[in-house]
Amino acid sequence: MLRVAVLGAGRIGRIHAANAAANRQAKLVAIADPFGSAAEDLARELGGAASTDPEAVLARADVDAVVIGTPTDTHVALMLAAVRAGKAVLCEKPIDLDIAKADAAVAEVERLDGRVMLAFNRRFDPASQELRRAIDAGEIGEVRQVIISSRDPAPPPRAYLEHSGGIFRDMTIHDFDMARFLLGEEPVEVMATASRLIDPNLAEIGDFDTVMVNLRTESRRQCHINCCRAAVYGYDQRFEVFGSAGMLMNDNLRPTTVRRWSSAVTDAREPLLNFFLERYADAYRTEFEMFRAAVEAGAPMPVTARDGRQALRLADCALESALTGRAVRV
Ligand SMILES: NC(=O)c1ccc[n+]([C@@H]2O[C@H](COP(=O)([O-])OP(=O)(O)OC[C@H]3O[C@@H](n4cnc5c(N)ncnc54)[C@H](O)[C@@H]3O)[C@@H](O)[C@H]2O)c1
Protein backbone atom coordinates (compact mmCIF):
# COMPACT_ATOMS: atom_id res chain seq x y z
CA MET A 1 0.00 0.00 0.00
CA LEU A 2 1.71 3.21 -1.19
CA ARG A 3 0.94 6.13 1.13
CA VAL A 4 0.61 9.24 -1.02
CA ALA A 5 0.53 13.01 -0.45
CA VAL A 6 -0.56 15.40 -3.19
CA LEU A 7 0.92 18.91 -3.29
CA GLY A 8 -1.29 21.41 -5.11
CA ALA A 9 -5.07 21.07 -5.17
CA GLY A 10 -5.68 22.83 -8.49
CA ARG A 11 -6.70 21.44 -11.89
CA ILE A 12 -4.12 18.67 -12.17
CA GLY A 13 -3.67 18.04 -8.42
CA ARG A 14 -7.37 17.10 -8.21
CA ILE A 15 -6.89 14.46 -10.93
CA HIS A 16 -3.85 12.91 -9.25
CA ALA A 17 -5.53 12.97 -5.84
CA ALA A 18 -8.64 11.25 -7.24
CA ASN A 19 -6.48 8.59 -8.93
CA ALA A 20 -4.50 7.99 -5.73
CA ALA A 21 -7.73 7.73 -3.72
CA ALA A 22 -9.27 5.29 -6.23
CA ASN A 23 -6.18 3.06 -6.54
CA ARG A 24 -6.63 -0.05 -4.43
CA GLN A 25 -2.91 -0.35 -3.73
CA ALA A 26 -2.49 3.29 -2.70
CA LYS A 27 -3.80 5.43 0.12
CA LEU A 28 -4.28 9.19 -0.14
CA VAL A 29 -2.80 10.34 3.17
CA ALA A 30 -2.56 14.12 2.76
CA ILE A 31 -3.23 17.05 0.43
CA ALA A 32 -1.33 20.31 0.78
CA ASP A 33 -2.11 23.66 -0.78
CA PRO A 34 -1.11 26.92 0.91
CA PHE A 35 -3.88 28.99 -0.66
CA GLY A 36 -7.53 29.25 0.34
CA SER A 37 -9.57 26.18 1.15
CA ALA A 38 -8.43 24.14 -1.89
CA ALA A 39 -6.76 21.35 0.14
CA GLU A 40 -9.58 21.21 2.67
CA ASP A 41 -12.27 21.03 -0.03
CA LEU A 42 -10.46 18.24 -1.86
CA ALA A 43 -9.69 16.26 1.31
CA ARG A 44 -13.35 16.46 2.30
CA GLU A 45 -14.24 14.95 -1.07
CA LEU A 46 -11.53 12.28 -1.33
CA GLY A 47 -10.26 11.67 2.20
CA GLY A 48 -6.80 12.28 3.70
CA ALA A 49 -5.61 15.15 5.87
CA ALA A 50 -5.67 18.71 4.54
CA SER A 51 -2.76 21.07 5.11
CA THR A 52 -1.70 24.55 4.06
CA ASP A 53 1.94 23.66 4.76
CA PRO A 54 3.63 21.55 2.04
CA GLU A 55 6.88 21.34 4.09
CA ALA A 56 5.00 19.79 7.02
CA VAL A 57 3.44 17.22 4.71
CA LEU A 58 6.86 16.34 3.29
CA ALA A 59 8.08 15.72 6.85
CA ARG A 60 5.33 13.20 7.61
CA ALA A 61 6.68 9.71 8.33
CA ASP A 62 3.47 8.12 7.05
CA VAL A 63 4.01 9.48 3.50
CA ASP A 64 5.97 7.26 1.07
CA ALA A 65 5.35 9.19 -2.14
CA VAL A 66 4.51 12.72 -3.20
CA VAL A 67 2.69 13.96 -6.29
CA ILE A 68 3.70 17.51 -7.25
CA GLY A 69 0.84 19.31 -9.01
CA THR A 70 1.90 22.83 -8.08
CA PRO A 71 2.82 25.78 -10.36
CA THR A 72 5.89 25.12 -12.50
CA ASP A 73 8.22 27.52 -10.65
CA THR A 74 7.81 25.44 -7.47
CA HIS A 75 8.55 21.99 -9.00
CA VAL A 76 12.31 21.81 -8.51
CA ALA A 77 12.37 22.99 -4.89
CA LEU A 78 9.54 20.65 -3.88
CA MET A 79 11.03 17.74 -5.85
CA LEU A 80 14.42 18.08 -4.17
CA ALA A 81 12.88 18.57 -0.72
CA ALA A 82 10.80 15.41 -1.23
CA VAL A 83 13.78 13.37 -2.44
CA ARG A 84 15.85 14.56 0.54
CA ALA A 85 12.98 13.49 2.81
CA GLY A 86 13.22 10.01 1.26
CA LYS A 87 9.96 10.21 -0.70
CA ALA A 88 9.31 8.92 -4.21
CA VAL A 89 8.07 11.73 -6.47
CA LEU A 90 5.65 12.04 -9.37
CA CYS A 91 6.25 15.59 -10.64
CA GLU A 92 4.17 17.51 -13.17
CA LYS A 93 5.66 18.88 -16.37
CA PRO A 94 7.59 20.97 -17.19
CA ILE A 95 10.38 20.18 -14.74
CA ASP A 96 11.22 23.92 -14.76
CA LEU A 97 11.39 26.77 -17.26
CA ASP A 98 15.14 27.30 -16.82
CA ILE A 99 17.49 24.71 -18.31
CA ALA A 100 20.36 25.46 -15.89
CA LYS A 101 18.01 24.93 -12.94
CA ALA A 102 16.67 21.74 -14.53
CA ASP A 103 20.24 20.47 -15.12
CA ALA A 104 21.19 21.10 -11.50
CA ALA A 105 18.02 19.41 -10.26
CA VAL A 106 18.55 16.31 -12.39
CA ALA A 107 22.18 16.07 -11.23
CA GLU A 108 21.06 16.31 -7.59
CA VAL A 109 18.26 13.74 -8.03
CA GLU A 110 20.73 11.33 -9.64
CA ARG A 111 23.41 12.01 -6.97
CA LEU A 112 20.89 11.21 -4.24
CA ASP A 113 19.58 8.20 -6.17
CA GLY A 114 16.15 9.85 -5.92
CA ARG A 115 13.03 8.13 -7.20
CA VAL A 116 11.49 10.77 -9.48
CA MET A 117 9.01 10.29 -12.31
CA LEU A 118 8.09 13.15 -14.66
CA ALA A 119 4.36 13.25 -15.41
CA PHE A 120 4.31 13.12 -19.22
CA ASN A 121 0.82 11.66 -19.23
CA ARG A 122 0.46 11.25 -23.00
CA ARG A 123 2.88 8.31 -22.95
CA PHE A 124 0.35 6.41 -20.84
CA ASP A 125 -2.65 6.86 -23.13
CA PRO A 126 -3.76 3.43 -24.41
CA ALA A 127 -3.12 4.58 -28.02
CA SER A 128 0.43 5.76 -27.20
CA GLN A 129 1.19 2.49 -25.42
CA GLU A 130 -0.09 0.55 -28.44
CA LEU A 131 1.97 2.68 -30.86
CA ARG A 132 5.13 1.98 -28.85
CA ARG A 133 4.30 -1.75 -28.55
CA ALA A 134 3.67 -2.04 -32.32
CA ILE A 135 6.94 -0.21 -33.12
CA ASP A 136 8.84 -2.48 -30.72
CA ALA A 137 7.21 -5.55 -32.30
CA GLY A 138 8.60 -4.45 -35.68
CA GLU A 139 5.15 -4.02 -37.25
CA ILE A 140 6.21 -1.00 -39.33
CA GLY A 141 9.89 -1.87 -39.73
CA GLU A 142 12.34 0.99 -39.20
CA VAL A 143 10.72 4.26 -38.06
CA ARG A 144 11.33 7.00 -40.63
CA GLN A 145 8.91 9.83 -39.81
CA VAL A 146 6.71 10.80 -36.88
CA ILE A 147 3.96 13.41 -37.31
CA ILE A 148 2.33 14.90 -34.22
CA SER A 149 -0.72 17.20 -34.37
CA SER A 150 -1.47 18.83 -31.06
CA ARG A 151 -4.05 21.60 -30.83
CA ASP A 152 -5.93 22.94 -27.85
CA PRO A 153 -9.61 23.92 -28.10
CA ALA A 154 -8.97 27.48 -26.86
CA PRO A 155 -6.07 29.53 -25.48
CA PRO A 156 -5.62 29.85 -21.71
CA PRO A 157 -6.13 33.25 -20.04
CA ARG A 158 -3.49 35.93 -20.49
CA ALA A 159 -2.59 35.74 -16.76
CA TYR A 160 -1.66 32.06 -17.24
CA LEU A 161 0.32 32.73 -20.41
CA GLU A 162 2.41 35.41 -18.69
CA HIS A 163 3.92 32.76 -16.37
CA SER A 164 3.77 29.77 -18.71
CA GLY A 165 7.27 30.05 -20.19
CA GLY A 166 5.80 30.30 -23.69
CA ILE A 167 4.10 27.82 -25.98
CA PHE A 168 7.18 25.64 -26.59
CA ARG A 169 7.95 25.09 -22.87
CA ASP A 170 4.35 24.98 -21.67
CA MET A 171 2.40 23.19 -24.40
CA THR A 172 4.70 21.71 -27.06
CA ILE A 173 6.77 20.19 -24.22
CA HIS A 174 4.30 17.24 -24.27
CA ASP A 175 4.92 16.80 -27.99
CA PHE A 176 8.70 16.95 -27.59
CA ASP A 177 8.39 14.15 -25.07
CA MET A 178 6.11 12.15 -27.39
CA ALA A 179 8.56 12.72 -30.26
CA ARG A 180 11.36 11.16 -28.16
CA PHE A 181 9.01 8.36 -27.03
CA LEU A 182 7.97 7.44 -30.58
CA LEU A 183 11.27 8.06 -32.39
CA GLY A 184 13.15 5.94 -29.86
CA GLU A 185 16.19 8.12 -30.52
CA GLU A 186 17.32 11.56 -29.34
CA PRO A 187 16.71 14.48 -31.71
CA VAL A 188 19.96 16.29 -32.50
CA GLU A 189 18.65 19.18 -34.61
CA VAL A 190 15.59 21.42 -34.29
CA MET A 191 13.98 23.78 -36.79
CA ALA A 192 10.90 25.76 -35.85
CA THR A 193 8.62 28.54 -37.02
CA ALA A 194 6.30 30.43 -34.70
CA SER A 195 3.38 32.78 -35.43
CA ARG A 196 0.78 34.88 -33.64
CA LEU A 197 -2.31 34.08 -35.70
CA ILE A 198 -4.82 34.07 -32.82
CA ASP A 199 -3.59 36.93 -30.68
CA PRO A 200 -1.07 39.44 -32.11
CA ASN A 201 -0.79 40.97 -28.61
CA LEU A 202 1.24 37.95 -27.50
CA ALA A 203 4.19 39.94 -28.86
CA GLU A 204 4.02 41.94 -25.61
CA ILE A 205 5.07 38.83 -23.66
CA GLY A 206 7.26 37.33 -26.39
CA ASP A 207 4.95 34.37 -26.90
CA PHE A 208 3.34 32.70 -29.92
CA ASP A 209 0.15 30.72 -30.49
CA THR A 210 0.79 28.70 -33.64
CA VAL A 211 4.03 26.76 -34.14
CA MET A 212 5.57 24.08 -36.32
CA VAL A 213 8.69 22.15 -35.40
CA ASN A 214 10.90 19.73 -37.32
CA LEU A 215 13.24 17.45 -35.39
CA ARG A 216 16.02 15.28 -36.81
CA THR A 217 17.83 12.45 -35.05
CA GLU A 218 21.46 11.36 -35.53
CA SER A 219 20.34 8.58 -37.91
CA ARG A 220 18.33 11.22 -39.81
CA ARG A 221 14.87 10.10 -38.70
CA GLN A 222 12.40 12.97 -38.75
CA CYS A 223 9.56 14.27 -36.63
CA HIS A 224 7.14 17.06 -37.46
CA ILE A 225 5.04 18.73 -34.74
CA ASN A 226 2.01 20.99 -35.42
CA CYS A 227 0.91 22.87 -32.35
CA CYS A 228 -1.76 25.54 -31.98
CA ARG A 229 -3.46 27.14 -28.98
CA ALA A 230 -6.94 27.02 -30.55
CA ALA A 231 -8.90 24.66 -32.80
CA VAL A 232 -12.61 25.39 -33.30
CA TYR A 233 -13.43 21.65 -33.51
CA GLY A 234 -11.89 20.82 -30.13
CA TYR A 235 -8.84 19.16 -28.56
CA ASP A 236 -6.95 17.66 -31.50
CA GLN A 237 -4.43 14.97 -30.55
CA ARG A 238 -3.12 12.76 -33.36
CA PHE A 239 0.02 10.75 -33.99
CA GLU A 240 1.29 9.15 -37.17
CA VAL A 241 4.38 6.90 -37.23
CA PHE A 242 5.63 5.99 -40.69
CA GLY A 243 8.14 3.21 -41.17
CA SER A 244 9.87 1.05 -43.79
CA ALA A 245 7.18 -1.64 -43.52
CA GLY A 246 4.02 0.36 -42.83
CA MET A 247 2.39 3.13 -40.87
CA LEU A 248 0.56 3.53 -37.57
CA MET A 249 -2.03 6.23 -36.85
CA ASN A 250 -4.30 6.95 -33.94
CA ASP A 251 -7.51 8.95 -34.06
CA ASN A 252 -9.11 11.55 -31.82
CA LEU A 253 -11.59 10.36 -29.20
CA ARG A 254 -15.29 11.22 -29.16
CA PRO A 255 -17.88 10.61 -26.45
CA THR A 256 -19.39 7.72 -28.49
CA THR A 257 -18.70 5.96 -31.80
CA VAL A 258 -22.08 6.97 -33.36
CA ARG A 259 -21.88 8.36 -36.93
CA ARG A 260 -24.70 10.30 -38.60
CA TRP A 261 -25.96 10.87 -42.16
CA SER A 262 -28.52 13.46 -43.33
CA SER A 263 -29.24 15.76 -46.29
CA ALA A 264 -26.62 18.15 -44.89
CA VAL A 265 -23.78 15.85 -43.78
CA THR A 266 -22.40 12.37 -44.25
CA ASP A 267 -20.34 10.42 -41.76
CA ALA A 268 -20.74 13.14 -39.13
CA ARG A 269 -19.48 12.39 -35.66
CA GLU A 270 -19.79 14.05 -32.29
CA PRO A 271 -17.31 16.78 -31.27
CA LEU A 272 -13.96 15.64 -29.88
CA LEU A 273 -13.57 15.14 -26.14
CA ASN A 274 -13.07 18.74 -25.22
CA PHE A 275 -9.83 18.96 -23.29
CA PHE A 276 -7.03 17.16 -21.51
CA LEU A 277 -8.90 16.21 -18.34
CA GLU A 278 -11.45 14.21 -20.39
CA ARG A 279 -9.23 13.10 -23.28
CA TYR A 280 -6.44 11.80 -21.09
CA ALA A 281 -8.46 10.54 -18.09
CA ASP A 282 -7.25 6.97 -18.74
CA ALA A 283 -3.70 8.16 -19.24
CA TYR A 284 -3.59 9.98 -15.87
CA ARG A 285 -4.94 6.85 -14.16
CA THR A 286 -2.39 4.59 -15.84
CA GLU A 287 0.40 7.10 -15.19
CA PHE A 288 -0.32 7.00 -11.46
CA GLU A 289 -0.52 3.20 -11.47
CA MET A 290 2.81 2.89 -13.34
CA PHE A 291 4.37 5.23 -10.79
CA ARG A 292 2.94 3.23 -7.90
CA ALA A 293 4.07 -0.08 -9.42
CA ALA A 294 7.61 1.20 -10.13
CA VAL A 295 7.97 2.50 -6.57
CA GLU A 296 6.70 -0.75 -5.08
CA ALA A 297 8.93 -2.92 -7.28
CA GLY A 298 11.99 -0.67 -6.89
CA ALA A 299 12.02 -0.69 -10.71
CA PRO A 300 13.29 2.13 -12.95
CA MET A 301 10.84 5.00 -13.33
CA PRO A 302 9.01 4.85 -16.70
CA VAL A 303 9.76 8.57 -17.26
CA THR A 304 12.65 10.23 -15.45
CA ALA A 305 13.66 13.71 -14.34
CA ARG A 306 16.25 13.54 -17.14
CA ASP A 307 13.41 12.99 -19.64
CA GLY A 308 11.89 16.20 -18.27
CA ARG A 309 15.18 18.00 -18.87
CA GLN A 310 15.52 16.64 -22.43
CA ALA A 311 12.04 17.88 -23.39
CA LEU A 312 12.85 21.31 -21.94
CA ARG A 313 16.08 21.44 -23.95
CA LEU A 314 14.15 20.71 -27.17
CA ALA A 315 11.69 23.48 -26.25
CA ASP A 316 14.57 25.94 -25.77
CA CYS A 317 16.12 24.90 -29.11
CA ALA A 318 12.77 25.35 -30.88
CA LEU A 319 12.37 28.86 -29.47
CA GLU A 320 15.91 29.77 -30.52
CA SER A 321 15.28 28.40 -34.01
CA ALA A 322 11.98 30.29 -34.34
CA LEU A 323 13.65 33.54 -33.24
CA THR A 324 16.79 33.21 -35.39
CA GLY A 325 15.38 31.40 -38.42
CA ARG A 326 18.20 28.86 -38.15
CA ALA A 327 18.41 25.15 -37.39
CA VAL A 328 19.65 24.64 -33.83
CA ARG A 329 21.92 21.80 -32.77
CA VAL A 330 20.66 20.11 -29.55
N1 LIG B 1 0.24 16.86 -17.47
C1 LIG B 1 -0.78 17.61 -17.79
O1 LIG B 1 -1.63 17.26 -18.59
C2 LIG B 1 -0.96 18.94 -17.08
C3 LIG B 1 -2.18 19.61 -17.18
C4 LIG B 1 -2.33 20.82 -16.48
C5 LIG B 1 -1.28 21.34 -15.75
N2 LIG B 1 -0.11 20.66 -15.71
C6 LIG B 1 1.01 21.21 -14.91
O2 LIG B 1 0.63 21.08 -13.55
C7 LIG B 1 1.08 22.21 -12.81
C8 LIG B 1 -0.11 22.87 -12.12
O3 LIG B 1 -1.02 23.29 -13.09
P1 LIG B 1 -2.59 23.50 -12.76
O4 LIG B 1 -3.22 23.81 -14.06
O5 LIG B 1 -3.10 22.39 -11.94
O6 LIG B 1 -2.48 24.84 -11.88
P2 LIG B 1 -3.55 25.38 -10.81
O7 LIG B 1 -3.23 26.81 -10.63
O8 LIG B 1 -4.94 24.97 -11.17
O9 LIG B 1 -3.18 24.58 -9.46
C9 LIG B 1 -1.99 24.75 -8.76
C10 LIG B 1 -2.30 24.67 -7.29
O10 LIG B 1 -1.06 24.63 -6.57
C11 LIG B 1 -1.21 25.43 -5.38
N3 LIG B 1 0.13 25.79 -4.91
C12 LIG B 1 0.90 26.87 -5.22
N4 LIG B 1 2.09 26.81 -4.58
C13 LIG B 1 2.06 25.64 -3.86
C14 LIG B 1 2.99 25.00 -2.98
N5 LIG B 1 4.20 25.53 -2.75
N6 LIG B 1 2.63 23.84 -2.41
C15 LIG B 1 1.42 23.29 -2.64
N7 LIG B 1 0.49 23.85 -3.45
C16 LIG B 1 0.82 25.00 -4.07
C17 LIG B 1 -2.09 26.59 -5.84
O11 LIG B 1 -2.71 27.20 -4.74
C18 LIG B 1 -3.08 25.89 -6.76
O12 LIG B 1 -4.22 25.44 -6.06
C19 LIG B 1 1.80 23.13 -13.81
O13 LIG B 1 3.19 22.89 -13.74
C20 LIG B 1 1.28 22.67 -15.17
O14 LIG B 1 2.23 22.84 -16.21
C21 LIG B 1 0.07 19.49 -16.34
Side-chain angles (χ1 to χ4, degrees):
M1 186 65 74
L2 189 74
R3 298 168 301 175
V4 179
V6 173
L7 308 185
R11 282 191 310 175
I12 204 71
R14 298 180 66 83
I15 301 297
H16 292 306
N19 287 333
N23 191 303
R24 289 198 188 152
Q25 288 159 289
K27 182 171 166 36
L28 180 62
V29 171
I31 302 169
D33 194 306
F35 300 107
S37 62
E40 218 170 272
D41 296 346
L42 195 55
R44 197 173 309 118
E45 191 185 313
L46 298 173
S51 171
T52 51
D53 183 355
E55 304 297 327
V57 166
L58 287 179
R60 285 178 69 134
D62 63 348
V63 168
D64 308 310
V66 174
V67 182
I68 300 175
T70 58
T72 300
D73 60 356
T74 65
H75 290 178
V76 161
L78 290 171
M79 178 195 295
L80 293 178
V83 166
R84 288 185 188 119
K87 317 296 184 193
V89 178
L90 175 62
C91 179
E92 262 311 330
K93 52 54 64 176
I95 184 167
D96 197 78
L97 297 178
D98 180 77
I99 195 76
K101 217 170 134 196
D103 278 335
V106 170
E108 185 64 355
V109 167
E110 291 176 352
R111 190 184 73 78
L112 295 169
D113 217 4
R115 310 278 291 132
V116 175
M117 174 167 159
L118 240 287
F120 281 125
N121 58 294
R122 289 184 198 176
R123 291 192 188 205
F124 301 99
D125 186 59
S128 307
Q129 293 281 306
E130 179 55 19
L131 291 174
R132 191 59 256 169
R133 191 207 58 74
I135 295 165
D136 289 340
E139 287 182 21
I140 58 163
E142 291 287 314
V143 171
R144 290 179 176 162
Q145 293 179 317
V146 172
I147 299 176
I148 300 176
S149 295
S150 177
R151 302 183 182 115
D152 281 357
R158 175 67 176 247
Y160 174 91
L161 290 172
E162 282 170 6
H163 302 282
S164 69
I167 188 169
F168 290 116
R169 296 187 191 103
D170 177 57
M171 183 178 167
T172 323
I173 195 106
H174 281 291
D175 308 305
F176 290 125
D177 183 66
M178 283 303 292
R180 296 180 63 243
F181 180 67
L182 294 172
L183 285 164
E185 196 182 327
E186 290 296 336
V188 296
E189 187 181 76
V190 182
M191 280 179 285
T193 57
S195 306
R196 300 175 185 107
L197 302 180
I198 304 168
D199 181 4
N201 295 327
L202 287 177
E204 292 159 13
I205 56 171
D207 201 359
F208 303 91
D209 51 40
T210 308
V211 300
M212 279 190 168
V213 184
N214 284 332
L215 305 170
R216 182 178 65 74
T217 69
E218 196 64 56
S219 67
R220 306 201 77 81
R221 294 173 188 190
Q222 299 160 345
C223 173
H224 174 63
I225 300 171
N226 301 295
C227 196
C228 187
R229 285 279 190 193
V232 290
Y233 53 86
Y235 190 39
D236 190 7
Q237 296 283 295
R238 286 170 292 135
F239 303 95
E240 180 178 310
V241 189
F242 169 72
S244 56
M247 180 175 78
L248 302 163
M249 278 174 84
N250 78 327
D251 200 357
N252 279 307
L253 296 187
R254 294 160 178 84
T256 76
T257 55
V258 173
R259 295 150 68 198
R260 293 171 169 83
W261 282 257
S262 74
S263 59
V265 293
T266 60
D267 211 2
R269 295 192 272 174
E270 292 162 64
L272 309 181
L273 290 182
N274 185 51
F275 211 2
F276 58 92
L277 298 179
E278 296 85 37
R279 170 62 185 85
Y280 286 116
D282 274 353
Y284 294 121
R285 221 177 350 262
T286 306
E287 174 183 74
F288 179 80
E289 171 52 19
M290 300 288 271
F291 170 67
R292 189 207 62 75
V295 174
E296 185 188 290
M301 289 295 184
V303 193
T304 62
R306 186 164 288 281
D307 287 316
R309 182 270 174 208
Q310 290 300 96
L312 181 64
R313 174 67 189 143
L314 293 176
D316 284 359
C317 292
L319 179 60
E320 185 185 337
S321 175
L323 293 175
T324 61
R326 295 202 194 95
V328 174
R329 191 83 196 161
V330 183

